[in-house]
Amino acid sequence: MTVNISKPEQNLREELAALRAKVVAGVAQEAFWFSGDGATTTFALARGWKPKFVYVDGALKRPGTGEDYTVSYDGFFYSLAFAVAPATVDVGVICVREV
């Protein structure tokens, strides 16, 4: 018996790029990209942007202590701290603009 499983092709980079400068209900959203290097665990976001979703190599990650990453805020900038440094892959972060 042979089982074939197919899933539709999905280009995460194109989907996130489509969100760029898109305004949903008066809230601006932006996709930021970082490159993992297997050693860096902390990534700082631009001022005024709060992370909403985080993808590593196309996989959605879970926020929170004991999960994939934590979010910290120092009063000016949000930062992501991964429990395990992302390998040499793309790290995509969808953010919302704080007013």
Side-chain angles (χ1 to χ4, degrees), residues 35 43 47 52 58 76 92 97:
S35 294
F43 298 89
R47 186 175 184 169
K52 185 173 179 182
F76 297 101
R97 183 74 146 159

Side-chain angles (χ1 to χ4, degrees), residues 18-55:
L19 290 173
R20 177 165 276 145
K22 182 178 180 182
V23 177
V24 178
V27 177
Q29 295 186 33
E30 180 79 29
F32 292 93
W33 291 95
F34 302 96
S35 294
D37 61 7
T40 305
T41 58
T42 304
F43 298 89
L45 297 170
R47 186 175 184 169
W49 291 98
K50 181 178 182 179
K52 185 173 179 182
F53 299 108
V54 176
Y55 295 88

Side-chain angles (χ1 to χ4, degrees), residues 7-24 29-33 53 55 58-60 92-95:
K7 67 181 198 182
E9 286 188 32
Q10 204 174 24
N11 188 332
L12 182 61
R13 187 175 291 275
E14 287 178 9
E15 288 184 33
L16 292 175
L19 290 173
R20 177 165 276 145
K22 182 178 180 182
V23 177
V24 178
Q29 295 186 33
E30 180 79 29
F32 292 93
W33 291 95
F53 299 108
Y55 295 88
L60 180 63
V93 183
I94 297 177
C95 298

